[in-house]
Amino acid sequence: MRPAAHQDPPLGSADPRYPPAEPGRARPGRHPTRRRVAAIGLGLVGLGAATAATTIGIRRLPTTRRDTLGLLSVFGAPGTFAGLARSGTVATVDVPGFGFGPGHAAFMSTATDDGTVFIGTTPFTDDPIMPTASTMEVGAFYPGTGHFDRIMIPSSAGHTSVPSPNPAHLGVGGADVADLVVLMDPDGGQRVLFVSAMPYHGWDTRANGQFPSIGQLRRDGAGIWRYEPDGALTGDDLAGLAPPAAAGQAFPAAGPTVPRSARAPVSIVRLPRSGHLVIAQYFGTPGGTRSGALLVLGLDGRTRAWWQYPATTPLGTPTVVNPREVVADPTSEPDDERFVLISDCFTADGVTLPFPVQEFSYSASTGQIVPRSAPVRATQDGTRMESACFDHAGNLYVARTRSDGLRADAMAVYAKIGRERSLVTRAPATPGWPDLFGIECRPDYFLAETARGGLVRSFTADPVTGAILLAGLEGLLQVVRASGSGEAMTFSTTAIELGLDHLRGPASRYIGVRRAAIDGPRRLMWLPVNQMVLDAIPWPYPPFRLDQWLFRIDLDMLLRP
């Protein structure tokens, strides 16, 4: 990877929202077909917001067809919209060729300054250990032309399809794309970096090569985004760029004929001051610890810091900690760049435990990752800390899930007061903190009105207004706005139903959402909607296709007073 400037450029372009292709070099694809047929109409919900059980404000979203046209659009392959095709409040947009290859479902997303939306992929099992495809690909949607492009990622040997050698796996293998992040190049352009949790499934690498653990996409002179093989890094490559003292543990090998593993990188975020990349490594090491680790890379791919999660035995119970999500604080200071970690947690026997949130600091000058808070839960009632988001003032919002693992609970807010959040001041990482794993740290605010709908799968902030945008599995999109600061914050909440029920297919299919891409300058939110199988069909099974979709939400309409 080439060095890049530390600050990303401002996004956006003049109207129209999407610039034309280079003269004489048309962008690929056909323009989509748009249709609106008045019939169903989707429910819109006005919610209040609560702090300390006090309703601060209630605002209702528009409820008439006239007011909602243009607010919601859904893009997908022709003939895939089911009941939404008859909606009077959602525009359905036919995009020929929209979707992924057999066995891939839509996953996390991001957007670049030209308005292109990128979507990662996950197996139909939603578990990269159990793949359902034989390829590796990233989706790129060009809103200006309505074209969807499957960017195929080849192995280091040039193969685009590599199945597991085990005949019992019925032809599946390939690789997932677990997360993506946009970076700035020294020449002022942008690139997209992506990570794969499981880029290897047992094949002979001498013949088939390896899929990248970290890969890159760049835009060519015609405005088309393409895979850049020279920027790819496998586990072996990463080990070669790491200090010898860290390489063996950060990128271990299970045997002499097996490639080194990057330990399942599942989440990546760029730090705002150094520009370095924090990566959550989900898995432990072969024959060693079962807990994951945190990795910081420079933009040249070299390891800048690495931190292994220590053994944790709260109340004498050994706990496996698998880092799942890292989120950076935009108000971080130089040499004290803060980020939070959400981890999946299990007993030694594999029983799921309530997930905690924990705050860390990274120093680029010393190359150290230091815990600043203990790993905490907001309450001790079995609820989980599911996902995290910072606003532009550095306040930390944590989406929570009820003990059933399916329904959302009240959001927790840890306010930034002075230079610290209450997460750190109330539950600091004192010596011996691993034995205090999962202690309670009550937030400054509980937002009771957010305790509805399915567990939160998309949790982002609008960079223009600072509004917090969260979407749950059942298709409830909520907006949280904050006023004031510190101990004097108030909140208002609104919500809208996206109508995912109208996309429902067979009972063996599951439809949900994943992390949205926010295009602030164009005032758009792009929300991937995926269709999967989960455990409805016994794994493994041969690859097949399922329809996927992409919602577009007009942020100005969503957020207008």
Side-chain angles (χ1 to χ4, degrees), residues 82 377 506:
R377 303 172 183 125

Side-chain angles (χ1 to χ4, degrees), residues 224-276:
I224 307 305
W225 287 88
R226 304 187 186 279
Y227 175 61
E228 185 174 270
D230 291 342
L233 293 170
T234 64
D236 290 329
D237 296 327
L238 290 164
L241 293 170
Q249 292 295 307
F251 310 105
T257 62
V258 178
R260 287 181 178 267
S261 167
R263 295 180 59 177
V266 293
S267 179
I268 181 170
V269 67
R270 186 189 66 87
L271 293 170
R273 295 291 186 168
S274 64
H276 295 165

Side-chain angles (χ1 to χ4, degrees), residues 29-284:
R30 293 160 37 185
H31 285 276
T33 302
R34 183 185 303 268
R35 62 179 180 269
R36 292 191 185 100
V37 182
I40 297 175
L42 300 183
L44 297 128
V45 185
L47 302 179
T51 61
T54 301
T55 299
I56 303 302
I58 297 176
R59 184 172 67 86
R60 294 185 178 275
L61 287 173
T63 56
T64 68
R65 181 173 182 269
R66 175 183 176 185
D67 288 337
T68 55
L69 283 178
L71 171 62
L72 295 175
S73 303
V74 59
F75 297 74
T80 66
F81 300 105
L84 279 184
R86 301 184 300 277
S87 171
T89 54
V90 178
T92 58
V93 185
D94 287 341
V95 180
F98 189 97
F100 299 96
H104 287 299
F107 206 50
M108 307 298 188
S109 65
T110 192
T112 47
D113 60 1
D114 64 347
T116 306
V117 182
F118 297 87
I119 309 172
T121 54
T122 189
F124 292 164
T125 59
D126 206 21
D127 184 347
I129 294 177
M130 298 186 292
T132 55
S134 66
T135 61
M136 184 181 196
E137 56 190 80
V138 177
F141 180 59
Y142 298 84
T145 61
H147 175 73
F148 185 89
D149 187 15
R150 290 172 54 205
I151 303 177
M152 304 302 295
I153 311 300
S155 74
S156 56
H159 299 292
T160 55
S161 177
V162 185
S164 164
N166 187 340
H169 289 175
L170 303 178
V172 299
D176 66 297
V177 175
D179 202 2
L180 316 95
V181 65
V182 177
L183 304 176
M184 180 181 174
D185 275 332
D187 61 5
Q190 289 187 325
R191 54 178 157 154
V192 175
L193 206 73
F194 61 86
V195 295
S196 175
M198 293 295 293
Y200 174 71
H201 292 281
W203 51 75
D204 184 351
T205 58
R206 293 170 297 181
N208 296 297
Q210 300 181 53
F211 288 111
S213 292
I214 298 178
Q216 295 188 54
L217 308 174
R218 277 201 171 93
R219 187 168 43 203
D220 66 15
I224 307 305
W225 287 88
R226 304 187 186 279
Y227 175 61
E228 185 174 270
D230 291 342
L233 293 170
T234 64
D236 290 329
D237 296 327
L238 290 164
L241 293 170
Q249 292 295 307
F251 310 105
T257 62
V258 178
R260 287 181 178 267
S261 167
R263 295 180 59 177
V266 293
S267 179
I268 181 170
V269 67
R270 186 189 66 87
L271 293 170
R273 295 291 186 168
S274 64
H276 295 165
L277 305 169
V278 180
I279 296 175
Q281 294 180 295
Y282 193 87
F283 288 142

Side-chain angles (χ1 to χ4, degrees), residues 374-399:
V376 305
R377 303 172 183 125
T379 56
Q380 297 291 20
D381 56 2
T383 54
R384 306 174 181 179
M385 308 296 258
E386 191 69 46
S387 188
C389 181
F390 287 97
D391 66 16
H392 50 64
N395 300 304
L396 173 64
Y397 298 74
V398 182

Side-chain angles (χ1 to χ4, degrees), residues 249-526:
Q249 292 295 307
F251 310 105
T257 62
V258 178
R260 287 181 178 267
S261 167
R263 295 180 59 177
V266 293
S267 179
I268 181 170
V269 67
R270 186 189 66 87
L271 293 170
R273 295 291 186 168
S274 64
H276 295 165
L277 305 169
V278 180
I279 296 175
Q281 294 180 295
Y282 193 87
F283 288 142
T285 59
T289 178
R290 295 170 61 185
S291 291
L294 292 171
L295 170 69
V296 177
L297 296 180
L299 298 182
D300 56 2
R302 297 185 180 277
T303 296
R304 300 302 181 96
W306 181 74
W307 184 84
Q308 171 63 51
Y309 214 96
T312 58
T313 55
L315 301 177
T317 302
T319 300
V320 178
V321 183
N322 298 128
R324 173 171 50 82
E325 178 184 275
V326 284
V327 183
D329 174 9
T331 66
S332 293
E333 299 178 9
D335 263 357
D336 184 18
E337 295 186 275
R338 300 295 182 94
F339 63 94
V340 295
L341 168 69
I342 301 278
S343 298
D344 293 344
C345 300
F346 307 90
T347 66
D349 297 328
V351 177
T352 302
L353 298 172
F355 309 150
V357 64
Q358 186 172 12
E359 184 165 334
F360 290 82
S361 171
Y362 166 69
S363 169
S365 65
T366 65
Q368 289 186 312
I369 300 170
V370 178
R372 291 300 183 190
S373 81
V376 305
R377 303 172 183 125
T379 56
Q380 297 291 20
D381 56 2
T383 54
R384 306 174 181 179
M385 308 296 258
E386 191 69 46
S387 188
C389 181
F390 287 97
D391 66 16
H392 50 64
N395 300 304
L396 173 64
Y397 298 74
V398 182
R400 300 168 60 239
T401 303
R402 300 182 191 184
S403 58
D404 61 11
L406 296 173
R407 295 175 297 157
D409 208 335
M411 183 190 300
V413 182
Y414 295 91
K416 186 171 184 180
I417 302 174
R419 298 182 62 180
E420 293 287 4
R421 274 166 290 277
S422 53
L423 180 67
V424 174
T425 57
R426 295 175 188 168
T430 55
W433 65 262
D435 292 333
L436 302 176
F437 186 90
I439 62 172
E440 180 177 301
C441 180
R442 304 283 289 188
D444 298 281
Y445 307 95
F446 279 114
L447 306 190
E449 294 293 346
T450 61
R452 63 180 72 196
L455 71 100
V456 172
R457 283 301 196 196
S458 177
F459 202 25
T460 54
D462 175 21
V464 176
T465 66
I468 304 299
L469 308 166
L470 57 153
L473 286 183
E474 297 175 356
L476 182 68
L477 173 61
Q478 300 187 70
V479 179
V480 175
R481 296 198 206 219
S483 300
S485 62
E487 298 176 346
M489 296 180 70
T490 58
F491 304 87
S492 64
T493 306
T494 54
I496 182 172
E497 292 282 359
L498 298 176
L500 296 192
D501 283 346
H502 299 299
L503 287 173
R504 300 291 180 197
S508 61
R509 305 292 186 264
Y510 156 88
I511 292 177
V513 301
R514 283 297 182 173
R515 189 190 66 213
I518 305 298
D519 186 343
R522 295 176 180 86
R523 310 304 299 131
L524 295 174
M525 175 181 181
W526 296 95

